[in-house]
Amino acid sequence: MKMTDQARKCPYCAKPLTRRPYWKHIQEMHPKEFENDTSTWIQLFKDYSSMGMNKTVSLTVIGEIFNKSPKFIEDFLKQQKVL
C-alpha cells in the first residue's frame, strides 16, 4: 500500500508532512534525529525508487544529503535488506 501525501506524518512530532521534500521538515525541525536516524535513508531510497530514479542516482543523492559516500549508503541498505 502506497502512502498518500495526506497520510505521511513526521515520525518525531506527528505533524502532517505536506511540503516536499519530506525530509526537509525533519532536517530543519529535528536536526539531531535527521543526522542520526538512518531509517530516513531507507525511506528516501524507497521514495526515489518508486519515482523511477535508478539505484546509482538514488545512492548519490542520499549520500549528498547526509554527507556520506554512496558506497556507505549502499552498504547500509544492503545490511538492512533494502537492496
Side-chain angles (χ1 to χ4, degrees):
M1 187 167 132
K2 191 173 181 178
M3 213 178 232
T4 65
D5 289 346
Q6 294 172 338
R8 189 171 295 236
K9 293 184 180 185
C10 173
Y12 305 107
C13 67
K15 179 181 177 182
L17 300 176
T18 55
R19 189 174 110 195
R20 289 185 183 215
Y22 301 118
W23 57 265
K24 199 74 170 154
H25 165 84
I26 297 170
Q27 182 185 42
E28 292 172 356
M29 303 306 292
H30 313 283
K32 287 183 182 177
E33 292 88 343
F34 178 79
E35 287 296 323
N36 296 315
D37 186 357
T38 53
S39 68
T40 304
W41 302 357
I42 295 169
Q43 189 60 53
L44 280 174
F45 185 80
K46 289 178 179 180
D47 288 349
Y48 292 157
S49 296
S50 72
M51 291 186 291
M53 196 179 286
N54 74 38
K55 180 178 105 173
T56 303
V57 173
S58 296
L59 295 173
T60 301
V61 171
I62 295 167
E64 288 177 3
I65 292 170
F66 291 93
N67 198 28
K68 305 284 184 201
S69 74
K71 177 71 172 135
F72 186 86
I73 303 294
E74 181 177 24
D75 290 345
F76 170 77
L77 293 175
K78 284 180 180 176
Q79 282 181 327
Q80 299 302 309
K81 299 187 181 352
V82 176
L83 288 176

